[in-house]
Amino acid sequence: MKIVLVITDSRRKNLVFVTDTLKTISVDEAVALADKGKIEGTHIVRKATGAYIRTNPGVPKSDELETLSLISKAVLSYLQDSETAVSTPALTNYLKLYLASLTEGGPFIEPVKEKEKTYKVLTVVIKEKFLQYDSIIFSGAEKFNVDPYLLGAIIIDEIARMQPFENILDKLQAKIIGMNTSIGIAQVTTETANNLIKEGLYNPNKNDSKLPFQSLDNRARAYLYQYLIQPKHSIFFAAARMRFLIDEWKEFIDLNHKPEIIATLYGRKYKAPHSEPKPSERGSQIMKEFYPLAKKWLK
């Protein structure tokens, strides 16, 4: 067994290890396996503060744990195709292993990326996950008076982008809350969720006196995480964001007739409303490819 990817926090503390069989293991699991000699090229160093996994002397630079490491924030940026997103040899190798693991024959969904098109996911897998939330999608769309198929298309996009990293994200869970992290099935950020609560658009628990927070620190983000990780709240926040965008832009343009712009704005940082918005490649894909899938899958 070899380690092919290590996810760390911002201080370079190891959080999650990924093996060449795409198994995602915790630090404790990795230490236990390395201690038994089951992870190639590693050994255990014991200190007063605990046991740590380290690279053996003589291991090629490309296989050193430090080289294979990637900060969790970088993984999230890559997932969301943000302006700061970068790929690394370790991440590229991980995605190659993921692609090699897919069942032949497809069909596949290939989420576009502004900088590169790097992976694909099985359509049947995305459909299976998506259909778990069909009733919530319809309920959320009705509550906020938005197009259920556009909401569904946006969620298809988010599921497809997360799919290769699903096991990694499951292991990380609340360990990544110390930043404006996208969370849940609809990948809503803690900042967006808190702002939507402030705007009075959606509150996941009106009896919770702590909501909304005046400002977000790590404790507040951790608190919001517990709501955002729940599919209903994640999808309702997504629908509320769509409604917010439509209302905010209506002075300049009716976004009800520009769904590709809603799809574009959904995953972007704040853009001041204006009269001539242009769709991104991602927004266009959501409308051209995922909207028809949502109409086909949602009954």
Side-chain angles (χ1 to χ4, degrees):
M1 180 188 302
K2 288 182 64 176
I3 298 297
V4 297
L5 186 64
V6 183
I7 310 299
T8 75
D9 64 15
S10 59
R11 294 173 294 178
R12 291 291 181 177
K13 180 181 178 181
N14 296 334
L15 299 175
V16 168
F17 296 83
V18 183
T19 73
D20 53 355
T21 59
L22 299 183
K23 184 177 181 180
T24 304
I25 56 179
S26 67
V27 173
D28 289 343
E29 290 169 326
V31 167
L33 288 168
D35 202 24
K36 295 176 182 177
K38 293 186 176 181
I39 298 181
E40 293 180 30
T42 66
H43 63 279
I44 296 301
V45 173
R46 287 183 168 81
K47 299 182 179 180
T49 52
Y52 303 90
I53 184 170
R54 295 289 185 263
T55 305
N56 287 344
V59 168
K61 181 75 173 177
S62 60
D63 291 335
E64 291 180 0
L65 295 178
E66 181 67 25
T67 304
L68 300 174
S69 296
L70 193 63
I71 297 173
S72 57
K73 186 176 181 179
V75 176
L76 298 171
S77 294
Y78 185 85
L79 272 173
Q80 290 303 317
D81 203 18
S82 72
E83 295 175 357
T84 59
V86 294
S87 185
T88 66
L91 185 56
T92 299
N93 184 48
Y94 168 76
L95 287 170
K96 284 181 179 178
L97 289 172
Y98 172 80
L99 290 174
S101 74
L102 297 179
T103 305
E104 291 295 329
F108 298 100
I109 288 174
E110 298 184 53
V112 299
K113 298 183 73 64
E114 298 292 337
K115 298 179 181 178
E116 54 185 329
K117 196 170 189 176
T118 53
Y119 60 83
K120 59 186 178 181
V121 294
L122 282 165
T123 303
V124 66
V125 173
I126 304 307
K127 180 181 180 181
E128 182 180 355
K129 293 181 183 298
F130 176 77
L131 288 179
Q132 297 176 46
Y133 313 111
D134 56 352
S135 62
I136 302 175
I137 291 169
F138 278 121
S139 296
E142 181 179 10
K143 179 177 178 66
F144 296 100
N145 192 25
V146 296
D147 183 347
Y149 305 113
L150 179 56
L151 175 59
I154 288 171
I155 291 171
I156 289 171
D157 175 68
E158 297 293 357
I159 295 173
R161 287 173 184 278
M162 287 189 293
Q163 181 58 29
F165 302 91
E166 183 179 38
N167 291 335
I168 295 174
L169 294 174
D170 284 347
K171 282 286 186 181
L172 288 173
Q173 293 186 352
K175 295 174 183 175
I176 55 177
I177 58 172
M179 59 190 80
N180 191 26
T181 308
S182 297
I183 298 165
I185 195 67
Q187 288 291 279
V188 178
T189 68
T190 49
E191 189 78 37
T192 293
N194 199 55
N195 286 340
L196 289 170
I197 299 171
K198 284 183 178 180
E199 292 287 338
L201 277 167
Y202 180 62
N203 189 326
N205 184 356
K206 293 181 180 179
N207 294 321
D208 189 338
S209 60
K210 292 184 179 180
L211 301 178
F213 292 95
Q214 293 306 307
S215 60
L216 292 178
D217 56 15
N218 285 357
R219 284 189 178 184
R221 294 186 192 283
Y223 197 86
L224 284 169
Y225 176 92
Q226 303 305 319
Y227 286 110
L228 285 169
I229 200 63
Q230 299 177 49
K232 176 186 174 181
H233 295 316
S234 183
I235 292 170
F236 273 44
F237 271 120
R241 173 154 173 75
M242 290 171 63
R243 170 46 52 195
F244 174 80
L245 291 169
I246 293 168
D247 292 345
E248 185 185 39
W249 283 67
K250 65 183 179 182
E251 181 181 343
F252 300 90
I253 188 172
D254 185 357
L255 292 186
N256 287 302
H257 301 300
K258 294 284 185 179
E260 70 279 6
I261 302 301
I262 298 175
T264 295
L265 295 171
Y266 180 85
R268 279 188 171 177
K269 290 183 178 180
Y270 178 77
K271 298 286 184 181
H274 54 89
S275 59
E276 296 183 356
K278 303 295 182 185
S280 65
E281 188 178 1
R282 180 177 179 181
S284 295
Q285 183 185 40
I286 288 172
M287 275 309 299
K288 292 177 181 177
E289 295 182 36
F290 304 154
Y291 191 91
L293 286 179
K295 290 198 77 171
K296 181 179 179 181
W297 293 347
L298 289 172
K299 304 295 184 183

